[in-house]
Amino acid sequence: MIAGARRQIYGAAAKPPSGRGLICMADFCVYFLYRAALVLIIALPLGAVFALGEFLGFLAWMALPNYRRLARRNVQIAFGDETTGTQKGRLVRRHFQRLGANLLSGMKLNSMPLPEVAALVATEGVDDVHRHLRAGRPVVLALSHLGNWELFAQILPHYFGYAPLSTVYQKLGNRRIDDFVRQQRARFGVELFDRSEGFKEAIGLLRSGGMIGILSDQHAGDHGLW
C-alpha cells in the first residue's frame, strides 16, 4: 500500500529519451543552427557572403585531410603530368574555397527576387533551348556540381517559364532542412522529383514537352547505368 501510494504521489520514473528521440532532437538543433546562419547570410551583401564562403572553405580544406587527399587524387587523374604538384595543391585549395563560396551564395540567391538573380547571370545557347521547347520537344539538361548549381532551380523559370520545368534531387538526411530547401528550390515553379522514388513522373513530364535538369555526376544507385 505504501509503495502504491508513493507511485501515485511521485509517479513513475521518467524514461530516458529513446535513440530515435535523440536523433530528432539533434536534427532539430541542426535545423535551428541552419536557419540562424541563413538569417545572417540573407542580411549580408552577396559579395560579403561569397568572401565568407571562401574563408569557410579554406577552413574546411585545412580541417578535412581525407577529403583533401580525395580531391588531390581526382586532380591527379584529371591532369596527370600536365601540372606540377604545387599547381595541383593550389587547385585543390581553390576548389574548397569556391565550393564554400558557391554553397553560401546559393543560400543568399535563394532569398533574392528573381529579376535581381537574373541580372547576375550571363547565358549562352538559350535560343536553341527555346526552339526545342516551343516545338514541343523535351529538353534534358545534364548538369554537374560545378559553380553555383543551386542557381539553376532559381533561374530556369526566368527564361523558360512557359514550359513544365523540373529537376531530380537527392533527399537530405535532415527532414526539416530537406523540406525547407525543397520549398526554396520550388518557389518559382520548378517541380522536384526525388530520385529514390524512380523516374516515372519525370519521364511523364518530358513526354509533355517539358525540361528537366539532372546532376549527371551523382551516384545513380546500384541499378543505374552510370
Side-chain angles (χ1 to χ4, degrees):
M1 293 177 62
I2 295 175
R6 286 178 176 174
R7 283 196 297 270
Q8 291 178 359
I9 295 173
Y10 298 107
K15 294 182 179 180
S18 64
R20 184 174 181 82
L22 291 174
I23 292 175
C24 291
M25 290 173 59
D27 283 350
F28 179 79
C29 291
V30 172
Y31 172 72
F32 178 80
L33 293 174
Y34 169 81
R35 293 300 301 268
L38 186 60
V39 171
L40 173 63
I41 290 170
I42 292 175
L44 293 174
L46 183 59
V49 171
F50 189 90
L52 176 61
E54 282 199 320
F55 174 70
L56 294 178
F58 176 76
L59 295 182
W61 172 78
M62 295 181 62
L64 301 173
N66 290 338
Y67 283 101
R68 191 167 64 238
R69 285 191 292 269
L70 175 62
R72 181 63 178 258
R73 185 164 64 248
N74 290 337
V75 169
Q76 177 62 38
I77 293 172
F79 293 98
D81 297 329
E82 296 179 17
T83 56
T84 65
T86 301
Q87 290 173 323
K88 291 184 178 71
R90 186 182 302 115
L91 183 60
V92 169
R93 176 176 54 80
R94 292 297 297 159
H95 163 71
F96 274 84
Q97 290 179 287
R98 286 300 174 90
L99 186 63
N102 283 317
L103 178 62
L104 264 61
S105 296
M107 297 167 67
K108 170 68 176 181
L109 291 168
N110 280 341
S111 69
M112 295 170 57
L114 185 55
E116 292 184 17
V117 176
L120 300 171
V121 178
T123 60
E124 295 180 2
V126 172
D127 292 339
D128 293 330
V129 178
H130 281 308
R131 186 174 67 255
H132 288 289
L133 289 176
R134 286 171 175 156
R137 291 189 292 268
V139 174
V140 176
L141 296 179
L143 311 173
S144 62
H145 283 97
L146 295 174
N148 196 331
W149 63 87
E150 286 287 347
L151 182 61
F152 286 102
Q154 309 299 321
I155 202 64
L156 288 180
H158 178 76
Y159 295 101
F160 313 110
Y162 57 86
L165 303 174
S166 65
T167 183
V168 177
Y169 81 103
Q170 180 179 358
K171 185 179 295 185
L172 301 176
N174 188 302
R175 178 179 57 82
R176 290 182 174 86
I177 295 179
D178 181 70
D179 290 342
F180 179 78
V181 171
R182 288 182 63 184
Q183 292 173 7
Q184 291 294 300
R185 289 173 174 172
R187 68 189 181 118
F188 293 126
V190 175
E191 189 172 0
L192 303 175
F193 298 124
D194 184 350
R195 72 175 192 177
S196 65
E197 298 176 357
F199 294 94
K200 181 178 179 180
E201 294 184 2
I203 292 173
L205 183 138
L206 288 174
R207 286 174 174 169
S208 69
M211 178 166 61
I212 186 169
I214 298 176
L215 289 167
S216 58
D217 55 357
Q218 282 193 347
H219 178 46
D222 295 334
H223 301 290
L225 299 178
W226 180 270

